[in-house]
Amino acid sequence: MKYIKADYVFPEELLKEIQKYVNGELIYIPKLPEERKKWGEKTGTREYLDQRNAEIRRKFSDGMSIDKLTETFCLSYDSIKKIVYSKNIK
C-alpha cells in the first residue's frame, strides 16, 4: 500500500468535504470488492496449500494413516483430520 497525497487525487471541493470529517489524519480507502484478491492469491500461498491438501487427501485415500500423514507433512493430527474429512469445494 502506498501513500498518495489527497490534493493530487481529489477535486478541491471533495477534499474540503473530507477535511470536515478527518482533517490532517491518515485514512484508508479500501479497494472495490470486485478488485480485491483473496488471501494468498497474490503470493501463491493459496495455490501451494491447495496442492498440498490435495496430496494429503490422495495419500489418505490410498491408505496412508493420519499418524503417518502428520509425520510426513509436519502438521498436527487435528489439522490432517480437518483436511481429509472436509469437503473439498473447488
Side-chain angles (χ1 to χ4, degrees):
M1 190 172 8
K2 63 183 179 178
Y3 173 84
I4 301 172
K5 292 184 73 173
D7 54 352
Y8 292 161
V9 178
F10 298 123
E12 186 176 340
E13 307 80 43
L14 179 57
L15 182 56
K16 285 181 181 180
E17 187 65 26
I18 292 170
Q19 286 171 325
K20 291 178 185 178
Y21 299 94
V22 281
N23 190 16
E25 300 292 328
L26 294 176
I27 185 168
Y28 170 75
I29 301 173
K31 289 183 178 185
L32 294 171
E34 60 272 10
E35 292 182 17
R36 292 184 186 157
K37 293 190 181 286
K38 293 182 180 179
W39 179 89
E41 284 183 350
K42 188 175 179 180
T43 62
T45 303
R46 179 78 268 151
E47 183 179 345
Y48 164 77
L49 292 176
D50 288 344
Q51 289 174 355
R52 181 205 64 188
N53 292 351
E55 184 178 357
I56 290 171
R57 286 186 193 94
R58 184 183 53 75
K59 287 182 182 275
F60 181 73
S61 68
D62 289 346
M64 187 178 277
S65 70
I66 292 178
D67 288 326
K68 184 64 178 167
L69 289 166
T70 62
E71 293 173 20
T72 304
F73 291 95
C74 300
L75 293 171
S76 71
Y77 189 89
D78 288 336
S79 293
I80 296 291
K81 274 179 48 178
K82 284 179 189 175
I83 293 167
V84 299
Y85 294 124
S86 69
K87 293 186 179 187
N88 187 20
I89 306 171
K90 291 253 175 194

